[in-house]
Amino acid sequence: MSLACRKFNGHNDRPWLVWLHGLLGCGDEWLPLVNLCAQHPSLVIDLPGHGDSTDVRVKDLLEMSCLLSETLAEQQISKYWLIGYSLGGRIAMHHACYGDNQGLCGLLVEGGNPGLFSQQERNNRLERDRNWAGRFRSQPIEQVLSDWYQQPVFSDLLPAQRQRLIKVRHRNNGNGVADMLENTSLGRQPWLVPVLQQLALPFVYLCGENDKKFQQLAKRCALPLQTIPHVGHNAHRADTAAFAAVVNHFLSLFNV
């Protein structure tokens, strides 16, 4: 089994950029970035329960990491960078720490949470995610999304931006989203910080200037923070050109 994915710029003889979207997203949301990073070959992936991987399920982050490895092997990709947003960033970090990371050249994480320190925090988060999952399974998805994008992490969104996101993402399958939300919950994720700090890999933690929560998190966990000016949590969507410039510059530091 492997994930639905698409290749771009495969003629370029460089390590691949493997793009991992967030919850409710799909691989295609990265296409503007792929075009701005066209000197690199890119693989955009639809995560389980999303896009053309709607019928794929994983039971936890470890199984997700194995599925990522199987997908890369099937696509004959042996050298790659992981670029992940939010849930995709958590998957990327977990894969780097605990997956089969042979061939992984480096890590670019946008607004991904490296974990919760205490078991009580994890239990609380898992309960919260189960509640959201129950809503995604049982209620009209537009109604759930309307509340989802009122969460504090999305507070920088203007009403029109919020409505655009709801319009784009109401096509999601509620059951698929619910399963992924529950099975890869932050409440089930290990505390990755000590392992991340020991990684002998290039690593940058990208965060919107207005995303105060994740900036503080990165500083508290001593992650290699770089901010994108004038944007919030979803920096790559809010200012694609600025995000691409940071990605290209970071890769150039390693002769990629």
Side-chain angles (χ1 to χ4, degrees):
M1 184 171 68
S2 64
L3 292 161
C5 57
R6 290 167 51 187
K7 284 178 168 177
F8 298 89
N9 308 315
H11 57 281
N12 291 333
D13 186 23
R14 296 182 176 189
W16 287 74
L17 307 183
V18 177
W19 304 83
L20 304 174
H21 62 78
L23 192 79
L24 296 162
C26 68
D28 282 358
E29 77 173 46
W30 292 114
L31 295 186
L33 269 299
V34 168
N35 291 333
L36 291 171
C37 301
Q39 65 273 40
H40 307 278
S42 279
L43 183 78
V44 298
I45 289 177
D46 287 342
L47 294 177
H50 295 73
D52 291 333
S53 299
T54 301
D55 297 330
V56 180
R57 296 289 186 274
V58 289
K59 66 183 180 186
D60 55 27
L61 282 161
L62 199 55
E63 192 168 280
M64 175 63 232
S65 185
C66 291
L67 189 54
L68 176 57
S69 293
E70 288 167 20
T71 303
L72 294 172
E74 186 175 280
Q75 297 299 322
Q76 300 182 303
I77 291 174
S78 58
K79 295 280 186 187
Y80 62 99
W81 295 74
L82 287 177
I83 305 177
Y85 163 65
S86 197
L87 169 61
R90 294 200 292 111
I91 290 168
M93 289 186 288
H94 189 275
H95 182 76
C97 291
Y98 293 114
D100 176 10
N101 62 14
Q102 185 178 359
L104 178 60
C105 299
L107 205 54
L108 297 91
V109 173
E110 177 194 1
N113 198 317
L116 300 171
F117 184 71
S118 73
Q119 189 58 51
Q120 185 59 54
E121 286 177 296
R122 291 194 285 273
N123 291 343
N124 292 345
R125 178 56 181 253
L126 185 55
E127 182 180 357
R128 185 181 136 207
D129 286 347
R130 281 175 174 155
N131 289 336
W132 277 112
R135 292 192 61 189
F136 275 113
R137 290 188 183 103
S138 63
Q139 297 176 11
I141 195 163
E142 290 94 337
Q143 181 182 331
V144 186
L145 291 174
S146 181
D147 291 339
W148 179 266
Y149 287 115
Q150 295 294 336
Q151 294 180 94
V153 73
F154 301 114
S155 62
D156 67 297
L157 291 175
L158 298 172
Q161 294 172 317
R162 193 171 280 114
Q163 286 306 311
R164 274 199 298 275
L165 275 172
I166 293 168
K167 186 176 180 180
V168 168
R169 293 184 168 168
H170 83 276
R171 303 186 190 101
N172 275 288
N173 176 286
N175 288 321
V177 170
D179 286 351
M180 193 62 174
L181 175 59
E182 207 167 352
N183 295 341
T184 62
S185 168
L186 188 58
R188 298 184 188 276
Q189 178 181 305
W191 171 243
L192 299 176
V193 173
V195 188
L196 286 171
Q197 291 174 343
Q198 297 301 315
L199 284 179
L201 285 170
F203 175 28
V204 65
Y205 190 88
L206 304 169
C207 190
E209 181 185 15
N210 301 330
D211 187 357
K212 300 305 181 189
K213 174 185 173 181
F214 280 86
Q215 276 192 66
Q216 290 166 5
L217 180 64
K219 289 172 183 173
R220 194 165 67 244
C221 298
L223 300 179
L225 174 65
Q226 181 155 356
T227 56
I228 313 292
H230 315 305
V231 293
H233 185 59
N234 195 333
H236 74 267
R237 185 183 181 93
D239 193 338
T240 303
F243 191 88
V246 170
V247 169
N248 284 321
H249 176 70
F250 182 72
L251 294 172
S252 75
L253 299 176
F254 305 96
N255 298 316
V256 179

